[in-house]
Amino acid sequence: MEAVAIHTYRPATKGPEPSGTPLTVLMLVTTTPAVLAAALLRPRSQSSARRGR
């Protein structure tokens, strides 16, 4: 029977702090123009087309 080494727990070493853009800011920057474009490019209703708009 072989002896099995038991490793003791040690906390993970801290790496460098992330210096990138926060995920929420990145999400807002990418989704806001898409939402605005979809709102501006959607087809108009028939009633507003008859009024000469």
Side-chain angles (χ1 to χ4, degrees):
M1 202 169 178
E2 292 181 35
V4 178
I6 298 173
H7 296 285
T8 57
Y9 170 78
R10 64 172 200 235
T13 57
K14 282 200 168 196
E17 290 292 321
S19 61
T21 309
L23 184 60
T24 52
V25 173
L26 191 62
M27 231 168 62
L28 283 173
V29 166
T30 55
T31 55
T32 304
V35 170
L36 289 174
L40 292 174
L41 296 175
R42 71 176 186 210
R44 305 231 181 243
S45 65
Q46 294 297 326
S47 61
S48 66
R50 273 187 254 146
R51 281 187 274 160
R53 182 150 200 260

